[in-house]
Amino acid sequence: MKTMDLIAPCHFGLEACLKREITDIGYDVTAVEDGRVTFAGDAEAVCRGNVFLRTAERILLKCGEFRATTFDELFEGTRKIPWADFLPEDARFWVTKASSVKSALFSPSDIQRIVKKAIVEKMKLSCPVEYFAEDGDDYPIRVFLNKDLVTIALETTGTSLHKRGYRKMTSQAPISETLAAALLMLTPWKGDRILVDPFCGSGTFPIEAALMAANIAPGVNRTFTSMNWDNLIPPSLWDDTIEEARDLETPDIETDIQGYDIDGEVLRAARQNAADAGVGHLIHFQQRPVAELAHPKKYGFVVTNPPYGERMEEREALPAIYRALGDRIKMLDSWSAYVISSYDRVERDMGMKAAKNRKIYNGMIKTYFYQFPGPKPGAKRQGF
């Protein structure tokens, strides 16, 4: 089967998580850049990447790459790509997004228009028509310009991979599913360990943790644009990939995953989201303030996304919230804590010094992932 270059965008700062995931499912990573990882794979890799990768935002199939500093060069470079190898005659194709970083060409609308025109002109050479009806399946295209290097790719995913299909109801400031999964991977937590999120909101951290614990693939319950690309991906490969994912699931495992929130309505949404994800039986949700965070067992994990205080009236309440969080974590003997926040006084108000913190963008918000690791089971707890 033909090997292709596949591009997987991800959150800035989490490329290492995605690289490890890609390697773990059996593919060779060929490049790691800010916000994306490129790997070599065949048609089956498109299916498996979309279904199995927890931290990727989408899977792109690279069609061509060239340098361009003028629109003429952009047109000619695009026209040299063998588009008939990628697009059937009836394909509905358009440039869904164009982005430019430190490049001579920077107008997204002009880039989109010229790339579309060049593809049409190229397709005319292999299809004896003057007009393309474009009444077939969707083949969306993405164009990236970085320092005048143009990359053009087919968008195989459709709706972003962070849309697992379970989160129909959200809280005020939800964390994305892909970011939650990546942050869990940055901790030593495993499915047989205790995990509590005292600000669970619509349940993303507990649900992603339960999916990981039960080995349920994040994309197993949704569809993808490229499922209709019979010219590139035989339908049997999608069937095989879904069957593989189902065979690997272990939904009957024992877990201790808990989510707390003070908002009862938000918790009802979290319970419904967990049920829709197929992991409702693996999570215990409870209406409880952070000041009542407690657990009788040792060596657990707190992984949470507390309020950031984006509005002034909310910001005034933050010192007390983070102080209560720190006080309760200190009382949890031998526990570890991991907190993502844009609040700039996390350590001061929690009264705890993080062993590490990592800059991560949550959407457009610059946040830090504060890491307070406790001892491994059997070891003595170190002071904060």
Side-chain angles (χ1 to χ4, degrees):
M1 203 174 292
K2 182 181 177 182
T3 298
M4 303 172 287
D5 287 325
L6 302 175
I7 303 168
C10 64
H11 281 271
F12 284 97
L14 297 174
E15 297 84 1
C17 289
L18 178 54
K19 178 183 177 182
R20 185 168 65 248
E21 270 203 287
I22 292 169
T23 301
D24 286 346
I25 64 171
Y27 299 104
D28 293 329
V29 170
T30 56
V32 179
E33 303 161 271
D34 288 346
R36 68 181 191 178
V37 178
T38 302
F39 63 103
D42 54 16
E44 185 180 51
V46 174
C47 307
R48 299 186 75 245
N50 276 302
V51 171
F52 285 107
L53 293 178
R54 298 183 188 277
T55 61
E57 293 298 313
R58 57 188 70 250
I59 303 297
L60 308 173
L61 192 167
K62 186 161 77 173
C63 301
E65 197 167 73
F66 54 89
R67 292 200 169 273
T69 57
T70 68
F71 286 119
D72 284 343
E73 290 176 343
L74 177 64
F75 182 89
E76 293 301 328
T78 302
R79 192 165 62 170
K80 288 179 181 177
I81 295 171
W83 287 106
D85 292 349
F86 299 103
L87 303 174
E89 185 176 330
D90 65 348
R92 178 176 178 263
F93 61 95
W94 73 102
V95 180
T96 182
K97 184 175 181 180
S99 61
S100 178
V101 177
K102 298 179 180 177
S103 296
L105 305 178
F106 53 83
S107 168
S109 59
D110 287 335
I111 293 167
Q112 289 170 300
R113 175 178 55 82
I114 288 168
V115 168
K116 169 79 175 190
K117 181 179 178 181
I119 296 172
V120 170
E121 291 302 312
K122 180 68 171 189
M123 291 288 286
K124 285 180 180 179
L125 298 178
S126 56
C127 304
V129 296
E130 284 299 314
Y131 170 77
F132 291 94
E134 297 193 42
D135 53 2
D137 292 313
D138 289 349
Y139 288 75
I141 295 165
R142 292 201 170 213
V143 182
F144 306 91
L145 283 82
N146 185 14
K147 297 179 182 177
D148 300 322
L149 181 66
V150 182
T151 304
I152 304 182
L154 284 175
E155 212 282 82
T156 77
T157 302
T159 303
S160 173
L161 289 176
H162 83 267
K163 297 285 189 180
R164 316 289 205 214
Y166 66 75
R167 200 169 72 175
K168 299 177 179 66
M169 293 175 276
T170 64
S171 55
Q172 183 179 351
I175 193 167
S176 78
E177 294 89 324
T178 47
L179 179 54
L183 295 179
L184 286 166
M185 290 178 187
L186 288 176
T187 78
W189 177 82
K190 301 297 179 186
D192 59 348
R193 305 283 295 275
I194 304 161
L195 186 139
V196 178
D197 179 359
F199 300 96
C200 74
S202 53
T204 309
F205 267 132
I207 292 171
E208 288 298 314
L211 289 171
M212 293 165 68
N215 207 27
I216 297 173
V220 74
N221 292 317
R222 54 160 289 177
T223 59
F224 306 96
T225 297
S226 53
M227 282 180 161
N228 296 321
W229 295 359
D230 295 2
N231 63 313
L232 294 174
I233 307 171
S236 61
L237 293 181
W238 287 107
D239 295 337
D240 292 346
T241 300
I242 298 298
E243 183 178 357
E244 177 190 1
R246 295 295 187 199
D247 288 344
L248 292 170
E249 293 177 359
T250 55
D252 297 328
I253 60 165
E254 297 264 339
T255 60
D256 191 344
I257 299 172
Q258 302 183 29
Y260 306 154
D261 206 280
I262 60 172
D263 189 329
E265 185 174 343
V266 165
L267 280 175
R268 283 191 288 275
R271 290 188 182 99
Q272 185 60 56
N273 290 340
D276 291 343
V279 294
H281 63 295
L282 299 177
I283 307 169
H284 176 63
F285 290 107
Q286 192 174 146
Q287 188 169 358
R288 182 190 291 194
V290 66
E292 296 179 13
L293 171 62
H295 198 288
K297 296 181 181 179
K298 295 185 177 184
Y299 304 112
F301 288 76
V302 170
V303 183
T304 193
N305 176 39
Y308 296 172
E310 293 302 306
R311 294 202 295 261
M312 185 60 68
E313 61 271 22
E314 293 175 343
R315 194 169 182 83
E316 294 174 356
L318 293 187
I321 290 172
Y322 283 85
R323 188 160 51 247
L325 175 61
D327 289 345
R328 300 311 295 182
I329 290 171
K330 292 172 193 173
M331 296 178 66
L332 289 167
D333 183 34
S334 72
W335 279 50
S336 301
Y338 296 83
V339 179
I340 182 171
S341 180
S342 67
Y343 181 47
D344 57 3
R345 298 180 178 180
V346 169
E347 293 172 299
R348 189 199 71 173
D349 290 345
M350 287 182 66
M352 300 166 61
K353 178 66 177 175
K356 294 180 182 178
N357 68 38
R358 186 177 189 135
K359 183 169 69 175
I360 294 168
Y361 279 87
N362 183 5
M364 299 301 293
I365 303 172
K366 183 173 71 173
T367 66
Y368 288 89
F369 190 47
Y370 296 88
Q371 304 171 51
F372 308 94
K376 295 179 180 179
K380 290 185 178 180
R381 181 178 175 85
Q382 300 295 317
F384 286 104

